[in-house]
Amino acid sequence: MAEDDKRKRCEEVNKDMISSLPNVIIGHILSFLPTKDALCTCILSKSWRELWRSLSNFDFDDRTWKSKIIFGNFMDRFFYVHNSRENSITKFRLRVHGNYPSSRLSQWIDAAIKDNIEELILWIYPDAHVPLPQRVFSCEKLVVLNLGYGIAIDLHGVGVRFSCLKVLHLEGLPMLDDLASIENLLAGSPVLEELKIEHVDCRSRNALRVCSSSLKRLTIRFTRIRYYRKDPGCRALTLDTPNLELLKLTDFVSEELNIQQLPCSLVEASVSVAFTHFFIIQVDTYIDMAVQFLRLIMPIVRILRLCETTMRILSNAVRKKLPCVEDLPNFQNLTRLEIEASGDCRWMVLHEILKCSVKLEVFIIYKDKALTVQATDPPRWPSLVYLNSSVIPKWRNPEFAPQCMRSSLKVIECVDFEWDFSEIEMAEYFLKKALVLEKMTIRFGRGMTHNSKERVAKRLSGCQIGSEACRITFSSP
């Protein structure tokens, strides 16, 4: 009897519970697996052989296959079988890194796109020219559209009807020089919430106007100019996004930055702008324009990141005593500030920013580690102008401690900290004057020796600290 009970328990444990589920539920489970693994389940048993046909979510990447030839042949067979299926694809992702004929890629994409497609991600990395089927622009159920590099878009004479589109990503596409096409896409997307445009080689001076009352998250990255100074026009970027909540802007191309309607809902912003030799306008005119753009944003946001090039713009405005930096408004909502700057520019403007940041709680400063561009990298960024001052300023304690130091600043983090007297003096000043500081973190740079780290730690640990709750931590990369 005991043996029978034991055998029954073993049978219960080893029972194939998944196969007893309805095919619809099994298909839903398989949709969470990588497509290649989900398709392999057809060899598990005869009952599983046709289950993949119920899938509507496919993600293909030729890097996960042993060879590009095997991947290409599989894709041909897959879409041959797929065309005979009743279920159409709702989510389709295709990332291609190999060299396939454009006509072959077009056949795959064309076979995947039906009227009920909801998510479409197409990244063709080689220098290909794969036309996007025009019927995509009338897929009213489409929610996510992500296109990269070799996808060719022709919107001439095409009506865009994206009634459900909420996420639109465009990266490295040839059509990004046709700024009218971008505006056409936006006009046909009435509920769009997230827009990302990345273009490395800008070949047009045409103006771009991002107009959307529904847009909440906007990322723009224009990093390199491919047109000539003598080309007509002045490239301008205008934001008409009154409900924007997140802005990530890297723009080394536009000579004008405009905000049509102030986005009072803006919570977070990251700004990296720079003057280049290709611009028609004068340097001081550009600095004034860029600072005026920042003056509109800074009093609204709660989280702000100022990249190295932007800090150089601000520091030169302070050094030249331009009117645009006079009587800066209080940044009433700003609670977290991150800046990226090297020693020759951050001290110039840091005092002014902290003085206006009356409610600042978290302050992070990065040294010589800009997210966008390095000052020591001229071959990669030949057109970028670094507005350096002739005299390298050192840290000087301000006459009066900013209000945030006395009432709100709780966390300070110094990244890539080195044996620099200005940095040490700044850290000592913060420790002494930040009366409610709870934590200061010093992250040493890679060039720091062990002895230098010990000397810095000893000096900062022994200096006067204004907040009894403050603790100092040190870390190495």
Side-chain angles (χ1 to χ4, degrees), residues 20-294:
S20 62
L21 295 173
N23 289 346
V24 176
I25 295 179
I26 298 177
H28 181 68
I29 295 173
L30 292 180
S31 68
F32 291 97
L33 294 176
T35 297
K36 187 177 179 181
D37 296 338
L39 295 176
C40 288
T41 60
C42 66
I43 64 173
L44 295 177
S45 68
K46 290 183 179 180
S47 62
W48 285 67
R49 186 169 298 170
E50 302 297 325
L51 280 177
W52 73 271
R53 293 178 179 270
S54 64
L55 297 179
S56 60
N57 182 359
F58 294 96
D59 189 347
F60 296 108
D61 189 332
D62 63 354
R63 292 174 300 179
T64 63
W65 294 70
K66 290 183 179 180
S67 76
K68 303 298 186 287
I69 295 176
I70 295 174
F71 174 79
N73 292 336
F74 169 80
M75 293 296 287
D76 291 337
R77 293 194 303 271
F78 171 80
F79 283 111
Y80 176 79
V81 176
H82 171 264
N83 284 335
S84 62
R85 290 178 26 176
E86 293 182 1
N87 292 347
S88 57
I89 297 174
T90 57
K91 295 182 180 181
F92 182 71
R93 308 174 191 90
L94 176 63
R95 297 172 178 87
V96 170
H97 300 75
N99 291 314
Y100 306 92
S102 296
S103 57
R104 194 180 190 185
L105 294 171
S106 295
Q107 289 177 354
W108 299 346
I109 296 172
D110 192 65
I113 297 173
K114 305 298 180 185
D115 290 340
N116 64 339
I117 188 81
E118 297 176 5
E119 180 177 320
L120 181 62
I121 300 176
L122 302 174
W123 281 54
I124 312 297
Y125 285 96
D127 294 331
H129 185 86
V130 183
L132 186 68
Q134 291 190 347
R135 69 171 180 273
V136 170
F137 304 106
S138 59
C139 291
E140 298 188 1
K141 293 184 179 180
L142 191 64
V143 177
V144 177
L145 180 60
N146 187 333
L147 305 174
Y149 299 97
I151 299 295
I153 299 176
D154 183 6
L155 287 177
H156 295 290
V158 177
V160 179
R161 299 191 302 276
F162 286 147
S163 58
C164 294
L165 189 68
K166 292 188 176 182
V167 178
L168 176 61
H169 290 187
L170 307 171
E171 183 168 344
L173 301 174
M175 62 85 64
L176 292 178
D177 283 317
D178 182 8
L179 302 183
S181 294
I182 299 177
E183 295 179 9
N184 190 11
L185 282 174
L186 297 179
S189 308
V191 297
L192 188 67
E193 296 182 358
E194 179 176 315
L195 173 64
K196 182 177 181 180
I197 303 175
E198 294 196 23
H199 198 22
V200 175
D201 297 322
C202 299
R203 302 175 184 272
S204 170
R205 281 190 183 272
N206 295 332
L208 172 61
R209 183 170 180 263
V210 179
C211 179
S212 174
S213 60
S214 61
L215 198 63
K216 296 181 180 179
R217 299 174 296 278
L218 174 62
T219 300
I220 293 179
R221 184 174 172 82
F222 297 147
T223 55
R224 189 160 51 191
I225 296 173
R226 286 296 187 184
Y227 50 75
Y228 297 99
R229 185 182 177 89
K230 64 181 180 180
D231 289 348
C234 178
R235 181 155 180 145
L237 173 64
T238 299
L239 304 182
D240 188 357
T241 53
N243 296 305
L244 198 64
E245 297 176 0
L246 170 66
L247 172 64
K248 295 182 178 180
L249 176 63
T250 301
D251 193 344
F252 305 152
V253 173
S254 300
E255 299 176 59
E256 293 182 9
L257 300 171
N258 305 302
I259 296 180
Q260 193 73 27
Q261 296 188 62
L262 196 62
C264 296
S265 56
L266 192 63
V267 174
E268 181 176 351
S270 174
V271 181
S272 180
V273 294
F275 182 87
T276 78
H277 289 297
F278 290 90
F279 289 175
I280 299 173
I281 63 175
Q282 299 298 314
V283 173
D284 285 359
T285 304
Y286 179 85
I287 292 176
D288 180 77
M289 178 276 303
V291 174
Q292 296 294 350
F293 180 83
L294 290 170

Side-chain angles (χ1 to χ4, degrees), residues 267-412:
V267 174
E268 181 176 351
S270 174
V271 181
S272 180
V273 294
F275 182 87
T276 78
H277 289 297
F278 290 90
F279 289 175
I280 299 173
I281 63 175
Q282 299 298 314
V283 173
D284 285 359
T285 304
Y286 179 85
I287 292 176
D288 180 77
M289 178 276 303
V291 174
Q292 296 294 350
F293 180 83
L294 290 170
R295 285 179 70 115
L296 294 174
I297 293 176
M298 294 171 79
I300 301 174
V301 297
R302 286 186 293 195
I303 301 172
L304 178 64
R305 299 182 183 90
L306 298 176
C307 298
E308 184 178 9
T309 53
T310 307
M311 288 295 293
R312 290 180 183 272
I313 293 290
L314 289 168
S315 66
N316 275 272
V318 172
R319 180 174 61 87
K320 294 183 176 185
K321 298 181 179 180
L322 298 180
C324 58
V325 290
E326 295 178 358
D327 300 323
L328 290 174
N330 282 340
F331 311 145
Q332 292 286 353
N333 299 323
L334 189 63
T335 58
R336 181 185 178 96
L337 173 65
E338 299 181 19
I339 68 170
E340 300 169 355
S342 53
D344 62 345
C345 71
R346 54 183 159 177
W347 316 132
M348 277 288 205
V349 70
L350 183 55
H351 292 165
E352 297 297 323
I353 296 178
L354 291 177
K355 184 172 66 176
C356 299
S357 306
V358 294
K359 296 181 180 179
L360 190 65
E361 297 179 3
V362 179
F363 175 54
I364 302 176
I365 181 168
Y366 300 86
K367 179 183 178 182
D368 293 332
K369 198 172 184 180
L371 295 178
T372 53
V373 59
Q374 295 289 341
T376 58
D377 195 10
R380 185 177 177 187
W381 305 96
S383 64
L384 204 59
V385 177
Y386 287 90
L387 308 172
N388 295 313
S389 61
S390 57
V391 179
I392 299 178
K394 299 298 182 181
W395 171 263
R396 292 182 181 177
N397 293 344
E399 185 177 357
F400 301 102
Q403 179 178 332
C404 65
M405 303 278 285
R406 304 191 302 269
S407 60
S408 61
L409 189 58
K410 298 178 180 179
V411 177
I412 298 175

Side-chain angles (χ1 to χ4, degrees), residues 341-348 350-351 354 363 365 367-368 391-398 412 414 416-431 440 442 448 456 459-460:
S342 53
D344 62 345
C345 71
R346 54 183 159 177
W347 316 132
M348 277 288 205
L350 183 55
H351 292 165
L354 291 177
F363 175 54
I365 181 168
K367 179 183 178 182
D368 293 332
V391 179
I392 299 178
K394 299 298 182 181
W395 171 263
R396 292 182 181 177
N397 293 344
I412 298 175
C414 302
D416 287 325
F417 196 93
E418 295 182 350
W419 184 253
D420 181 279
F421 286 115
S422 289
E423 291 180 319
I424 295 174
E425 289 173 357
M426 178 200 69
E428 289 178 332
Y429 174 79
F430 282 138
L431 287 171
M440 173 178 277
I442 304 295
M448 289 280 286
V456 170
R459 177 165 173 173
L460 293 182

